[in-house]
mmCIF file of all heavy atoms in Angstrom:
data_model
loop_
_atom_site.group_PDB
_atom_site.id
_atom_site.type_symbol
_atom_site.label_atom_id
_atom_site.label_comp_id
_atom_site.label_asym_id
_atom_site.label_seq_id
_atom_site.Cartn_x
_atom_site.Cartn_y
_atom_site.Cartn_z
ATOM 1 N N GLY K 678 66.183 164.344 108.201
ATOM 2 C CA GLY K 678 67.400 163.589 108.457
ATOM 3 C C GLY K 678 68.310 163.707 107.338
ATOM 4 O O GLY K 678 68.239 164.526 106.425
ATOM 5 N N GLU K 679 69.321 162.843 107.437
ATOM 6 C CA GLU K 679 70.420 162.841 106.314
ATOM 7 C C GLU K 679 69.994 162.030 105.144
ATOM 8 O O GLU K 679 69.039 161.192 105.204
ATOM 9 C CB GLU K 679 71.669 162.164 106.940
ATOM 10 C CG GLU K 679 72.268 162.906 108.129
ATOM 11 C CD GLU K 679 72.824 164.261 107.758
ATOM 12 O OE1 GLU K 679 73.343 164.320 106.605
ATOM 13 O OE2 GLU K 679 72.737 165.178 108.561
ATOM 14 N N VAL K 680 70.533 162.277 104.007
ATOM 15 C CA VAL K 680 70.277 161.562 102.798
ATOM 16 C C VAL K 680 70.771 160.092 103.052
ATOM 17 O O VAL K 680 71.854 159.899 103.532
ATOM 18 C CB VAL K 680 70.949 162.197 101.587
ATOM 19 C CG1 VAL K 680 70.747 161.277 100.366
ATOM 20 C CG2 VAL K 680 70.443 163.633 101.307
ATOM 21 N N VAL K 681 69.961 159.119 102.684
ATOM 22 C CA VAL K 681 70.256 157.777 102.801
ATOM 23 C C VAL K 681 70.855 157.207 101.469
ATOM 24 O O VAL K 681 70.339 157.521 100.436
ATOM 25 C CB VAL K 681 68.982 156.903 103.213
ATOM 26 C CG1 VAL K 681 69.343 155.374 103.257
ATOM 27 C CG2 VAL K 681 68.517 157.362 104.578
ATOM 28 N N PHE K 682 71.919 156.431 101.599
ATOM 29 C CA PHE K 682 72.529 155.898 100.382
ATOM 30 C C PHE K 682 72.374 154.359 100.338
ATOM 31 O O PHE K 682 72.794 153.653 101.267
ATOM 32 C CB PHE K 682 74.017 156.276 100.305
ATOM 33 C CG PHE K 682 74.247 157.704 100.133
ATOM 34 C CD1 PHE K 682 74.343 158.590 101.149
ATOM 35 C CD2 PHE K 682 74.327 158.201 98.845
ATOM 36 C CE1 PHE K 682 74.508 159.953 100.971
ATOM 37 C CE2 PHE K 682 74.582 159.524 98.580
ATOM 38 C CZ PHE K 682 74.622 160.452 99.611
ATOM 39 N N GLN K 683 71.734 153.901 99.323
ATOM 40 C CA GLN K 683 71.412 152.412 99.204
ATOM 41 C C GLN K 683 72.689 151.619 99.167
ATOM 42 O O GLN K 683 72.737 150.506 99.682
ATOM 43 C CB GLN K 683 70.551 152.200 97.922
ATOM 44 C CG GLN K 683 69.865 150.857 97.973
ATOM 45 C CD GLN K 683 68.937 150.743 96.807
ATOM 46 O OE1 GLN K 683 69.250 150.907 95.600
ATOM 47 N NE2 GLN K 683 67.689 150.424 97.064
ATOM 48 N N SER K 684 73.760 152.176 98.575
ATOM 49 C CA SER K 684 74.956 151.416 98.409
ATOM 50 C C SER K 684 75.681 151.114 99.796
ATOM 51 O O SER K 684 76.532 150.289 99.884
ATOM 52 C CB SER K 684 75.944 152.229 97.556
ATOM 53 O OG SER K 684 76.268 153.440 98.130
ATOM 54 N N ARG K 685 75.304 151.899 100.855
ATOM 55 C CA ARG K 685 75.812 151.646 102.168
ATOM 56 C C ARG K 685 75.016 150.713 102.989
ATOM 57 O O ARG K 685 75.231 150.561 104.236
ATOM 58 C CB ARG K 685 75.969 153.031 102.909
ATOM 59 C CG ARG K 685 76.815 154.044 102.208
ATOM 60 C CD ARG K 685 76.827 155.360 102.812
ATOM 61 N NE ARG K 685 77.488 156.360 101.935
ATOM 62 C CZ ARG K 685 77.578 157.711 102.295
ATOM 63 N NH1 ARG K 685 76.978 158.108 103.381
ATOM 64 N NH2 ARG K 685 78.186 158.566 101.501
ATOM 65 N N ARG K 686 74.013 150.057 102.429
ATOM 66 C CA ARG K 686 73.110 149.192 103.106
ATOM 67 C C ARG K 686 73.229 147.744 102.697
ATOM 68 O O ARG K 686 72.277 147.040 102.856
ATOM 69 C CB ARG K 686 71.677 149.772 102.980
ATOM 70 C CG ARG K 686 71.584 151.238 103.395
ATOM 71 C CD ARG K 686 70.206 151.849 102.953
ATOM 72 N NE ARG K 686 69.118 151.264 103.575
ATOM 73 C CZ ARG K 686 68.650 151.610 104.803
ATOM 74 N NH1 ARG K 686 69.335 152.510 105.493
ATOM 75 N NH2 ARG K 686 67.670 151.063 105.323
ATOM 76 N N HIS K 687 74.344 147.340 102.171
ATOM 77 C CA HIS K 687 74.478 145.951 101.708
ATOM 78 C C HIS K 687 74.291 144.984 102.789
ATOM 79 O O HIS K 687 73.781 143.863 102.491
ATOM 80 C CB HIS K 687 75.857 145.835 101.021
ATOM 81 C CG HIS K 687 75.967 146.352 99.631
ATOM 82 N ND1 HIS K 687 74.990 146.175 98.742
ATOM 83 C CD2 HIS K 687 76.906 147.139 99.073
ATOM 84 C CE1 HIS K 687 75.338 146.762 97.565
ATOM 85 N NE2 HIS K 687 76.532 147.377 97.776
ATOM 86 N N ALA K 688 74.707 145.220 104.049
ATOM 87 C CA ALA K 688 74.516 144.315 105.048
ATOM 88 C C ALA K 688 73.077 143.944 105.337
ATOM 89 O O ALA K 688 72.734 142.758 105.539
ATOM 90 C CB ALA K 688 75.133 144.858 106.367
ATOM 91 N N LEU K 689 72.184 144.938 105.243
ATOM 92 C CA LEU K 689 70.724 144.705 105.386
ATOM 93 C C LEU K 689 70.257 143.846 104.210
ATOM 94 O O LEU K 689 69.397 142.885 104.388
ATOM 95 C CB LEU K 689 70.009 146.017 105.427
ATOM 96 C CG LEU K 689 70.058 146.793 106.681
ATOM 97 C CD1 LEU K 689 69.390 148.214 106.449
ATOM 98 C CD2 LEU K 689 69.387 146.112 107.805
ATOM 99 N N HIS K 690 70.662 144.146 103.011
ATOM 100 C CA HIS K 690 70.209 143.431 101.847
ATOM 101 C C HIS K 690 70.675 141.956 101.852
ATOM 102 O O HIS K 690 69.976 141.075 101.598
ATOM 103 C CB HIS K 690 70.808 144.082 100.565
ATOM 104 C CG HIS K 690 70.489 145.562 100.398
ATOM 105 N ND1 HIS K 690 71.274 146.444 99.672
ATOM 106 C CD2 HIS K 690 69.443 146.268 100.925
ATOM 107 C CE1 HIS K 690 70.681 147.609 99.790
ATOM 108 N NE2 HIS K 690 69.624 147.573 100.500
ATOM 109 N N GLU K 691 71.931 141.816 102.333
ATOM 110 C CA GLU K 691 72.484 140.404 102.391
ATOM 111 C C GLU K 691 71.776 139.613 103.455
ATOM 112 O O GLU K 691 71.519 138.397 103.253
ATOM 113 C CB GLU K 691 74.011 140.496 102.683
ATOM 114 C CG GLU K 691 74.836 141.044 101.451
ATOM 115 C CD GLU K 691 74.823 140.159 100.315
ATOM 116 O OE1 GLU K 691 74.500 138.990 100.431
ATOM 117 O OE2 GLU K 691 75.253 140.657 99.210
ATOM 118 N N ALA K 692 71.480 140.261 104.597
ATOM 119 C CA ALA K 692 70.797 139.489 105.610
ATOM 120 C C ALA K 692 69.366 139.100 105.135
ATOM 121 O O ALA K 692 68.914 137.960 105.440
ATOM 122 C CB ALA K 692 70.645 140.384 106.874
ATOM 123 N N ALA K 693 68.652 139.967 104.418
ATOM 124 C CA ALA K 693 67.347 139.615 103.888
ATOM 125 C C ALA K 693 67.469 138.462 102.899
ATOM 126 O O ALA K 693 66.670 137.539 102.836
ATOM 127 C CB ALA K 693 66.694 140.838 103.291
ATOM 128 N N LEU K 694 68.496 138.568 102.032
ATOM 129 C CA LEU K 694 68.742 137.553 101.030
ATOM 130 C C LEU K 694 68.981 136.217 101.722
ATOM 131 O O LEU K 694 68.404 135.189 101.305
ATOM 132 C CB LEU K 694 69.902 137.947 100.181
ATOM 133 C CG LEU K 694 70.158 137.186 98.875
ATOM 134 C CD1 LEU K 694 68.990 137.285 97.895
ATOM 135 C CD2 LEU K 694 71.443 137.734 98.235
ATOM 136 N N GLN K 695 69.742 136.217 102.675
ATOM 137 C CA GLN K 695 70.046 134.966 103.418
ATOM 138 C C GLN K 695 68.791 134.381 104.051
ATOM 139 O O GLN K 695 68.583 133.152 104.080
ATOM 140 C CB GLN K 695 71.143 135.174 104.488
ATOM 141 C CG GLN K 695 71.686 133.848 104.998
ATOM 142 C CD GLN K 695 72.352 133.060 103.966
ATOM 143 O OE1 GLN K 695 73.214 133.449 103.127
ATOM 144 N NE2 GLN K 695 71.988 131.766 103.939
ATOM 145 N N ARG K 696 67.954 135.182 104.581
ATOM 146 C CA ARG K 696 66.662 134.671 105.189
ATOM 147 C C ARG K 696 65.849 134.000 104.095
ATOM 148 O O ARG K 696 65.208 132.920 104.384
ATOM 149 C CB ARG K 696 65.847 135.882 105.672
ATOM 150 C CG ARG K 696 66.335 136.451 107.076
ATOM 151 C CD ARG K 696 65.475 137.639 107.483
ATOM 152 N NE ARG K 696 64.045 137.268 107.575
ATOM 153 C CZ ARG K 696 63.078 138.195 107.687
ATOM 154 N NH1 ARG K 696 63.348 139.506 107.645
ATOM 155 N NH2 ARG K 696 61.814 137.743 107.672
ATOM 156 N N LEU K 697 65.775 134.513 102.983
ATOM 157 C CA LEU K 697 65.048 133.852 101.848
ATOM 158 C C LEU K 697 65.679 132.570 101.403
ATOM 159 O O LEU K 697 64.956 131.568 101.155
ATOM 160 C CB LEU K 697 64.866 134.873 100.723
ATOM 161 C CG LEU K 697 64.141 136.174 100.954
ATOM 162 C CD1 LEU K 697 64.200 137.092 99.741
ATOM 163 C CD2 LEU K 697 62.685 135.879 101.306
ATOM 164 N N VAL K 698 66.915 132.547 101.373
ATOM 165 C CA VAL K 698 67.639 131.363 101.087
ATOM 166 C C VAL K 698 67.433 130.215 102.125
ATOM 167 O O VAL K 698 67.097 129.115 101.791
ATOM 168 C CB VAL K 698 69.218 131.553 100.865
ATOM 169 C CG1 VAL K 698 69.962 130.256 100.665
ATOM 170 C CG2 VAL K 698 69.455 132.488 99.638
ATOM 171 N N ASP K 699 67.558 130.631 103.414
ATOM 172 C CA ASP K 699 67.420 129.677 104.463
ATOM 173 C C ASP K 699 65.999 129.228 104.543
ATOM 174 O O ASP K 699 65.774 128.054 104.965
ATOM 175 C CB ASP K 699 67.704 130.364 105.786
ATOM 176 C CG ASP K 699 69.198 130.683 105.903
ATOM 177 O OD1 ASP K 699 69.994 130.146 105.164
ATOM 178 O OD2 ASP K 699 69.574 131.504 106.814
ATOM 179 N N ALA K 700 64.960 130.001 104.111
ATOM 180 C CA ALA K 700 63.667 129.534 104.095
ATOM 181 C C ALA K 700 63.304 128.654 102.902
ATOM 182 O O ALA K 700 62.177 128.105 102.766
ATOM 183 C CB ALA K 700 62.723 130.754 104.110
ATOM 184 N N GLY K 701 64.228 128.434 102.024
ATOM 185 C CA GLY K 701 64.023 127.603 100.878
ATOM 186 C C GLY K 701 63.167 128.206 99.819
ATOM 187 O O GLY K 701 62.514 127.518 98.983
ATOM 188 N N LEU K 702 63.154 129.487 99.744
ATOM 189 C CA LEU K 702 62.249 130.229 98.794
ATOM 190 C C LEU K 702 62.985 130.640 97.572
ATOM 191 O O LEU K 702 62.403 131.309 96.670
ATOM 192 C CB LEU K 702 61.650 131.461 99.460
ATOM 193 C CG LEU K 702 60.801 131.174 100.702
ATOM 194 C CD1 LEU K 702 60.371 132.515 101.325
ATOM 195 C CD2 LEU K 702 59.573 130.356 100.308
ATOM 196 N N THR K 703 64.261 130.290 97.385
ATOM 197 C CA THR K 703 65.059 130.713 96.267
ATOM 198 C C THR K 703 65.663 129.556 95.522
ATOM 199 O O THR K 703 65.683 128.442 96.005
ATOM 200 C CB THR K 703 66.155 131.702 96.755
ATOM 201 O OG1 THR K 703 67.109 130.919 97.512
ATOM 202 C CG2 THR K 703 65.642 132.878 97.593
ATOM 203 N N TYR K 704 66.186 129.898 94.277
ATOM 204 C CA TYR K 704 66.905 128.893 93.595
ATOM 205 C C TYR K 704 67.868 129.556 92.639
ATOM 206 O O TYR K 704 67.570 130.758 92.189
ATOM 207 C CB TYR K 704 66.024 127.919 92.842
ATOM 208 C CG TYR K 704 65.127 128.534 91.748
ATOM 209 C CD1 TYR K 704 65.624 128.731 90.407
ATOM 210 C CD2 TYR K 704 63.867 128.927 91.995
ATOM 211 C CE1 TYR K 704 64.825 129.244 89.453
ATOM 212 C CE2 TYR K 704 63.049 129.453 91.044
ATOM 213 C CZ TYR K 704 63.551 129.673 89.745
ATOM 214 O OH TYR K 704 62.789 130.212 88.753
ATOM 215 N N PRO K 705 68.950 128.988 92.299
ATOM 216 C CA PRO K 705 69.935 129.551 91.312
ATOM 217 C C PRO K 705 69.346 129.436 89.919
ATOM 218 O O PRO K 705 68.851 128.429 89.514
ATOM 219 C CB PRO K 705 71.243 128.706 91.547
ATOM 220 C CG PRO K 705 70.721 127.476 92.033
ATOM 221 C CD PRO K 705 69.524 127.705 92.876
ATOM 222 N N CYS K 706 69.594 130.496 89.137
ATOM 223 C CA CYS K 706 69.169 130.488 87.746
ATOM 224 C C CYS K 706 70.314 130.754 86.853
ATOM 225 O O CYS K 706 71.038 131.748 86.933
ATOM 226 C CB CYS K 706 68.086 131.652 87.541
ATOM 227 S SG CYS K 706 67.545 131.751 85.864
ATOM 228 N N TYR K 707 70.610 129.817 85.955
ATOM 229 C CA TYR K 707 71.817 129.840 85.133
ATOM 230 C C TYR K 707 71.404 130.399 83.700
ATOM 231 O O TYR K 707 72.320 130.520 82.879
ATOM 232 C CB TYR K 707 72.362 128.445 84.949
ATOM 233 C CG TYR K 707 72.859 127.839 86.176
ATOM 234 C CD1 TYR K 707 72.033 127.109 87.041
ATOM 235 C CD2 TYR K 707 74.122 128.044 86.660
ATOM 236 C CE1 TYR K 707 72.372 126.545 88.268
ATOM 237 C CE2 TYR K 707 74.642 127.509 87.840
ATOM 238 C CZ TYR K 707 73.728 126.750 88.600
ATOM 239 O OH TYR K 707 74.122 126.235 89.854
ATOM 240 N N CYS K 708 70.172 130.775 83.464
ATOM 241 C CA CYS K 708 69.770 131.213 82.103
ATOM 242 C C CYS K 708 70.373 132.529 81.788
ATOM 243 O O CYS K 708 70.578 133.439 82.555
ATOM 244 C CB CYS K 708 68.224 131.426 82.117
ATOM 245 S SG CYS K 708 67.273 129.945 82.387
ATOM 246 N N THR K 709 70.834 132.645 80.535
ATOM 247 C CA THR K 709 71.283 133.857 79.945
ATOM 248 C C THR K 709 70.051 134.750 79.620
ATOM 249 O O THR K 709 68.963 134.213 79.402
ATOM 250 C CB THR K 709 72.187 133.657 78.825
ATOM 251 O OG1 THR K 709 71.430 133.116 77.765
ATOM 252 C CG2 THR K 709 73.373 132.830 79.144
ATOM 253 N N ARG K 710 70.300 136.011 79.324
ATOM 254 C CA ARG K 710 69.185 136.827 78.908
ATOM 255 C C ARG K 710 68.654 136.341 77.529
ATOM 256 O O ARG K 710 67.442 136.380 77.281
ATOM 257 C CB ARG K 710 69.676 138.356 78.746
ATOM 258 C CG ARG K 710 70.021 138.986 80.155
ATOM 259 C CD ARG K 710 70.367 140.382 79.980
ATOM 260 N NE ARG K 710 70.605 141.047 81.220
ATOM 261 C CZ ARG K 710 70.963 142.254 81.380
ATOM 262 N NH1 ARG K 710 71.098 143.075 80.282
ATOM 263 N NH2 ARG K 710 71.155 142.889 82.589
ATOM 264 N N ARG K 711 69.504 135.943 76.702
ATOM 265 C CA ARG K 711 69.100 135.439 75.389
ATOM 266 C C ARG K 711 68.237 134.208 75.541
ATOM 267 O O ARG K 711 67.199 134.152 74.856
ATOM 268 C CB ARG K 711 70.340 135.066 74.576
ATOM 269 C CG ARG K 711 69.980 134.551 73.174
ATOM 270 C CD ARG K 711 71.208 134.256 72.390
ATOM 271 N NE ARG K 711 70.922 133.665 71.073
ATOM 272 C CZ ARG K 711 71.762 133.275 70.105
ATOM 273 N NH1 ARG K 711 73.077 133.536 70.384
ATOM 274 N NH2 ARG K 711 71.439 132.767 69.023
ATOM 275 N N GLU K 712 68.623 133.279 76.411
ATOM 276 C CA GLU K 712 67.818 132.109 76.657
ATOM 277 C C GLU K 712 66.456 132.457 77.144
ATOM 278 O O GLU K 712 65.407 131.833 76.725
ATOM 279 C CB GLU K 712 68.524 131.168 77.585
ATOM 280 C CG GLU K 712 69.762 130.511 76.949
ATOM 281 C CD GLU K 712 70.623 129.751 77.913
ATOM 282 O OE1 GLU K 712 70.448 130.079 79.164
ATOM 283 O OE2 GLU K 712 71.548 128.987 77.477
ATOM 284 N N ILE K 713 66.386 133.384 78.065
ATOM 285 C CA ILE K 713 65.094 133.756 78.613
ATOM 286 C C ILE K 713 64.218 134.411 77.559
ATOM 287 O O ILE K 713 63.010 134.195 77.407
ATOM 288 C CB ILE K 713 65.297 134.729 79.807
ATOM 289 C CG1 ILE K 713 65.954 133.986 80.999
ATOM 290 C CG2 ILE K 713 63.939 135.326 80.229
ATOM 291 C CD1 ILE K 713 66.379 134.899 82.107
ATOM 292 N N ARG K 714 64.881 135.313 76.762
ATOM 293 C CA ARG K 714 64.112 136.005 75.695
ATOM 294 C C ARG K 714 63.529 134.962 74.696
ATOM 295 O O ARG K 714 62.358 135.093 74.257
ATOM 296 C CB ARG K 714 64.991 137.027 74.931
ATOM 297 C CG ARG K 714 64.384 137.771 73.865
ATOM 298 C CD ARG K 714 65.231 138.946 73.377
ATOM 299 N NE ARG K 714 66.446 138.444 72.863
ATOM 300 C CZ ARG K 714 67.647 138.592 73.419
ATOM 301 N NH1 ARG K 714 67.777 139.163 74.583
ATOM 302 N NH2 ARG K 714 68.782 138.109 72.789
ATOM 303 N N GLU K 715 64.344 134.023 74.291
ATOM 304 C CA GLU K 715 63.870 133.011 73.379
ATOM 305 C C GLU K 715 62.756 132.191 73.974
ATOM 306 O O GLU K 715 61.773 131.829 73.255
ATOM 307 C CB GLU K 715 65.028 132.117 72.960
ATOM 308 C CG GLU K 715 66.110 132.751 72.094
ATOM 309 C CD GLU K 715 67.289 131.912 71.810
ATOM 310 O OE1 GLU K 715 67.398 130.872 72.434
ATOM 311 O OE2 GLU K 715 68.110 132.294 70.992
ATOM 312 N N ALA K 716 62.818 131.915 75.266
ATOM 313 C CA ALA K 716 61.735 131.091 75.929
ATOM 314 C C ALA K 716 60.467 131.912 75.983
ATOM 315 O O ALA K 716 59.368 131.347 75.747
ATOM 316 C CB ALA K 716 62.184 130.683 77.305
ATOM 317 N N THR K 717 60.600 133.210 76.172
ATOM 318 C CA THR K 717 59.342 133.983 76.339
ATOM 319 C C THR K 717 58.656 134.204 74.911
ATOM 320 O O THR K 717 57.458 134.500 74.863
ATOM 321 C CB THR K 717 59.628 135.378 76.940
ATOM 322 O OG1 THR K 717 60.619 136.074 76.123
ATOM 323 C CG2 THR K 717 60.192 135.219 78.339
#
């Protein structure tokens, strides 16, 4: 078949993301990389 480009599949990614949000499986994270590094 044709070469598939991930950048053209955002609708699929967004739909999957919304499913996870709707299922209550996600949460927003405000941590910066520095804060995470310091915590680890």
Side-chain angles (χ1 to χ4, degrees):
E679 298 294 325
V680 177
V681 175
F682 291 89
Q683 197 171 55
S684 61
R685 301 174 187 174
R686 303 169 67 81
H687 281 314
L689 285 172
H690 305 153
E691 292 293 344
L694 191 61
Q695 192 60 51
R696 282 178 56 194
L697 296 174
V698 172
D699 292 344
L702 298 176
T703 67
Y704 64 87
C706 177
Y707 299 89
C708 297
T709 64
R710 291 183 179 180
R711 179 179 177 180
E712 289 167 344
I713 294 172
R714 184 170 60 251
E715 289 175 349
T717 60

